């Protein structure tokens, strides 16, 4: 969609774009530190997170927190790396972003390390204090990599999938109130 084509950034948008970028990085730190109550600094209370290809669609911050804490429970150590941000401030209080995540999960057992290569597509709303929160998040795994040990033999497995990868932002934008 044209929301992710490179566009000139207005000087007035620089702070908003950097605030969104910092919030995305904070999101990764929250996941890795298992500080799930702090997701209220990332998501609006009424946010929707679409993990439909993986686990379903979660409505509201409590449901998102419960899903994320439950899905990471078997992985005491994780590392979520974030990059390739495209952020478009569409209106004074509305933005969209697309971000790549590389999420590595280290289990307590010897069954192996799991790494997912993920695309997050998010719709953001500016809040009163000048911060930004996600109101809609779409999650898609492009490839998963498992490093396994089976009967003392090391093995690697790569799986590919396109899980809820595409959001038609033009449809979302028509339902949002643009200031």
């Amino acid at each position: 969609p044209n929301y992710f084509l490179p566009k000139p950034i207005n000087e007035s948008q620089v702070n908003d774009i950097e605030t969104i970028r910092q919030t995305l990085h904070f999101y990764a730190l929250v996941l890795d530190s298992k500080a799930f109550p702090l997701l209220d600094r990332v998501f609006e209370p009424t946010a929707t997170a679409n993990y439909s290809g993986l686990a379903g669609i979660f409505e509201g911050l409590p449901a998102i927190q419960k899903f994320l804490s439950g899905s990471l429970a078997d992985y005491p150590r994780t590392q979520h790396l974030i990059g390739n941000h495209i952020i478009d401030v569409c209106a004074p209080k509305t933005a969209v972003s697309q971000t790549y995540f590389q999420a590595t999960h280290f289990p307590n057992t010897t069954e192996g390390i799991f790494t997912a290569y993920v695309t997050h597509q998010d719709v953001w709303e500016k809040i009163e204090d000048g911060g930004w929160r996600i109101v809609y998040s779409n999650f898609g795994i492009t490839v998963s990599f498992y490093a396994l040990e089976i009967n003392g033999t090391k093995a690697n497995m790569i799986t590919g999938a396109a899980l809820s990868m595409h959001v038609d932002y033009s449809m979302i934008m028509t339902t949002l109130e643009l200031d």
Side-chain angles (χ1 to χ4, degrees):
N2 64 356
Y3 296 102
F4 298 117
L5 294 176
K7 297 178 184 179
I9 298 171
N10 297 328
E11 190 173 321
S12 63
Q13 295 175 321
V14 171
N15 286 339
D16 290 329
I17 289 170
E18 188 57 26
T19 299
I20 290 169
R21 186 182 339 271
Q22 291 297 316
T23 303
L24 285 163
H25 289 282
F26 180 72
Y27 180 24
L29 294 173
V30 167
L31 294 176
D32 292 338
S33 65
K34 310 293 190 275
F36 300 106
L38 293 176
L39 287 170
D40 68 353
R41 304 290 300 159
V42 178
F43 291 94
E44 272 291 290
T46 59
T48 298
N50 180 359
Y51 293 88
S52 62
L54 181 65
I57 297 173
F58 300 91
E59 302 280 345
L61 179 58
I64 296 167
Q65 288 168 315
K66 181 178 178 182
F67 166 69
L68 290 172
S69 66
S71 66
L72 296 177
D74 290 336
Y75 303 99
R77 293 172 312 280
T78 59
Q79 185 177 55
H80 291 77
L81 303 175
I82 299 177
N84 293 20
H85 308 285
I86 300 291
I87 300 167
D88 185 3
V89 179
C90 307
K93 293 184 178 183
T94 306
V96 294
S97 67
Q98 179 165 303
T99 306
Y100 289 170
F101 276 56
Q102 178 182 321
T104 303
H105 306 79
F106 303 92
N108 257 342
T109 66
T110 59
E111 290 190 22
I113 298 168
F114 165 63
T115 301
Y117 300 88
V118 176
T119 300
H120 262 268
Q121 298 169 326
D122 300 307
V123 178
W124 297 80
E125 184 176 284
K126 193 170 191 174
I127 60 174
E128 287 184 27
D129 71 2
W132 288 82
R133 300 291 183 273
I134 296 171
V135 294
Y136 182 86
S137 185
N138 190 61
F139 169 91
I141 296 177
T142 52
V143 174
S144 300
F145 176 82
Y146 297 86
L148 307 170
E149 188 170 318
I150 302 169
N151 296 329
T153 303
K154 292 187 178 185
N156 296 320
M157 180 173 66
I158 298 174
T159 61
L163 306 176
S164 59
M165 277 297 293
H166 177 72
V167 170
D168 184 348
Y169 281 104
S170 61
M171 290 178 54
I172 292 172
M173 299 310 291
T174 60
T175 64
L176 296 173
E177 183 179 319
L178 300 179
D179 297 334

